[in-house]
Amino acid sequence: MDTKTEQGPVGVDEGGSRAVAFHDEQEIEEKTRPKGVELKHTLTQDDKELAAAGYGHLEEKKATEQTSVDIVEHKIPLSSLGDTLHTSIDTKDAGASHGLSADEAAERLKRDGPNVLTPPKKRSPFRQYMDRLLTMFNILLIFAGILEYILLGVNFHENFANTYLGGILIAVAFLNAFIDWYQVQKSEAILASFLAMIPPSCRAVRDGSIVTIPAAELVSGDVVLIRSGDKTPADLILFGATDLKVDNSSLTGESEPQERFPLVNGSPSRPVEAQNLVFNSTLVVNGEAWGVVVRTGDHTFIGQIASLTGGESGNESPLAVEIGQFVIKISCIAILFAIVFFVVGITTAYKGRAAQTVTFAVSILVAWVPEGLPSVVTLLLSIAAKRMANQNVLVKDLQGVETLGSLTLLATDKTGTLTRNQMTVTNLWSGLRMFSAFQSNNDDNTTESFSLQASGMSELVDISALNSRVKFDRLDVPFGERQILGDATETGLTRFAGRYLTDYDEHQKGFPKVFEVPFNSTNKWALVILNKPHAEGQLTAYIKGAPERVLAKCTSYLKDGALAPITDEFRTAYDDAYNYMASRGHRVIACAQSLLPSSTYAADHAFSRNDGNYPSTEYCFVGLVSLEDPPKHGVREAIGTLRMAGIKVMMVTGDHPKTAEAIARKINLMIGDTRETLAARTGRSVDEIYEDEFNAVVIHGDEIDDLQGWQWDQIFSKEEIVFARTSPKHKLEIVKRAQALGHIVGVTGDGVNDSPALKKADLGIAMNISGSDVSKEAANMILLDDNFASTVKGVAEGRQIFVNLKRSIQYTITHSTPEVVPQLLYVVVPIPLPLSAILILVIDLGFELFVALSFAWDKPETVDGLMRMAPRKPVNDRSILSLKRKALRRTKTLRRDPETQEVIPPSKLSILAAKLQKPFTRVFWEDALESKDGETLVDGQLLSYAYLEAGVIEMLGALVGYFVVFFKSGFSPSDLQRAQKSGAYFSSSSPDFINGRGQTITASEQVDAFAKAQSIVYLSIFIIQCFNVFAVKARFTFPFGRNAVGNPFNFAGIVGGACLGMFIIYTPPLHVVFGGTFKLSPLYWLIPVAFGCLLLAWASLRVILLRKSVENARVKDIKGLMMFPTMRTMSMRQKTQEAS
């Protein structure tokens, strides 16, 4: 499936050389090169194997895929079309066709089903909730909670406190799942409101009469009438048409409407190129036609693309993968420590008391597992998603927020995404002078601004307005508010003329049409004769069309209001102007006029199209007009910003290569030379240009199917890439190839043809206003205002939310060390339990939750810091080589059929055995310990800070407070060890304890001392964590700068946590559940405050030590980027500001 039907810019021959040339695989003759590093042109067998290895799984998958059903009905001759489809059509008088009978249509509808696309299968809300509930974290919490209730059943009185502990653990698991589930349901509900709700209708012929029926009731064999402004209701073969043009941009990416007409002998072309076939959902922009339905529902062309989308499984987001890996690791550590502590506890501290030992093991489990983390991650992403919604970016999948910030490559469609899908007049040339009608920075300094008073300009406006067949959706509103229905080129000319005519409707009525020859692909011009008086008569002829055809009809040209003969000098100037326009990828048309003398053409002259009785020579050439589908406002700055953020932006379009390259050069997507432009600039042949001399490529879709692994590597090694003339399958293949190299791929698009790639990409971004329903369903994110520039805000937001998530996790897991180490001392030394399981839960789900959520509102440390850093998982030569080596290793271990060489899939048992054996192999540890350039959510640096740096400082602060409080209550460390070993103290029924100094400590004093010690450990963790809030932010700047303390929600979280802490520790009724005592003096708080200051000092030292590595990660400046807005964008912004 490919799209070659659209004409390129006039004067550009697509049939010539390819947009990029690849050398043959054989050894290439070395040529003398001027400068630069020598490039090896000979690929060894090892090189080929290594290059192909990364794509091996794609080739295997491609081989097993079934090809989609082809549409073949367009090949049927008109004479046998009715018989083949068992319907009644009249090919000579289409309006007299009888069509199907109502009974036959009903029978076929019952047999074939309704003419609708099968919606994608969705899981029920209950299944979605269960998927979120049955994650490793939540299963662990539920298991621990159930265990506590089992102990309660064994011994109710001794384990009564487990009632609260078990209930809280199970409730947290269900709450975590509910928060995530609720956010997803909310996003899906918003999306549903954007999808089309009104069922379309159409005009069909039933029993010889035209009736309006719902499009869903159409069946194969129905005769349908389509007119300008209609959406085609099914795939139709035409058997009668008048000047029909359809907009295929949503299916093929072509910005120009395509002519469609009946073919007596059918079409031998592929369906997408067949001129007698119109597709379901395409818009009729001009003319009318009669067609017979050949495909409905899922069997239509759009249905096949939709099924291609359904066949692609979306990738799990990088964040989901990393959180999943972290959860598994932390869960395994927690389970391992719980088992070890259970064994140690039951043999030492608890001496065979299994129930108490299990509770203690659960407290260790609770200490290691950050219970609030899933909720914090979900809520942080929800808050970010809400912020993005305020910036017109709807996130369907919460983790897509962060994926946008992780992108390494963004593949974007052109038509409707980067450009407006609206042809616009840009330049006009008349009287040997060039004028600019569109504000941009792309014209030469000598180009004059458009003025209606300049020579030939009023004539060009008249030809644009009067030689036109466009219609309007309504006439009772001002011109600027109307929707123009018609050919894209004529629509652009009409819009241009409407800007300069005082009253467009009156102007047209003032000069009625006398005769007309519409544009067709044979003539390539359109002629109109108007009743427009002039000095020599009543009638005026206007002609417009392909420049070479119009110029051939002219003998003079208009200069300063007078006729001048066409000379060689004029032809040279004409060629220069034509090349100036065409080289920019513009569509160029020529305009001419003839003031018909009354002596030859009277006012009532009978013109005739069939015998050529109309003026066809001796015209006066008025000028050239160029049109383009211009870039959207702000796109150039947006792409420049993305490239400065280290993201590779490439264009993937169904449009003409020259048009695509011209647009790419206007919007910062392509700055450097391609092989062809470098050859032209240096005067060398294309074959003399070496690979490392250029950094930009334009790839034609015809080449994609035959590309080998080393050629894909060569393409993706370039910084500036444009794929043109691509089909939906090509777009999908490009995404898969990029992902095979380790790229995190984002795809933006609005058409049905983009949807398979949107679904397969790590992040699919669809347009809301211009986007099709299929593309919105396939995407993870929707730009509500269709503004590509919103992706820049999204990337910045995604990168910041990653930083905020990392800070939140870093902050949250720091308390594990001060929770676990005291438990270890309790068993090993032993000392009285410093922190109970219930207090650990209060830390994890109490003040920690408040403060961890406040990171969602953190702002960047520096103004452009994150948007000048490389993506967190950059793709470079080293990362690609590592992936390919692993893939090559995998390829060599696959079993193949000796005859066919097809891969024999391994059994489930052998897969399981390989997984179990893997950790005991050398290769596994080499891969695991291989140094990587990327940054993950939970990496070694974060774990080092949380467990070994800040965690140790917190642990020391908590233990110092613990021992000081006990010392002030009469217990030295050795006293604590002696008391704990006896196991008879620190309860209301304990005997008096005599310390090492000979002092007697009563049971009530022991209980108070124990309560105060546990309270200071709890408060120490809270207080030092308050300092840690700012310490975790220190990366670019010190932890006490304006940006570090600029988030008021941090302070609100701290205040909320403090209130909770004070309430738990100093409220007597709660002491039954949590312990604590109101007798703890606030003076003891100074101990953790001192350690908090020490933590800030350490964080400042880390900033100094790590500053150089952070600076090295910044993206270097890119020469040639145009980061200033276009004049057009500036004027639009000024209008917006004035309006507001």
Side-chain angles (χ1 to χ4, degrees), residues 175-184 323 372-385 398-399 805 853:
L175 184 63
N176 283 340
F178 176 77
I179 291 170
D180 193 10
W181 174 84
Y182 175 73
Q183 294 297 335
V184 172
I323 289 177
L373 185 62
S375 296
V376 167
V377 169
T378 302
L379 290 171
L380 251 67
L381 291 173
S382 301
I383 293 163
L398 285 180
Q399 287 167 353
L805 271 172
L853 279 177

Side-chain angles (χ1 to χ4, degrees), residues 692-708:
D692 59 347
E693 290 186 78
F694 62 96
N695 212 22
V697 287
V698 180
I699 310 296
H700 196 291
D702 285 350
E703 299 171 4
I704 290 175
D705 290 331
D706 300 322
L707 290 179
Q708 296 181 31

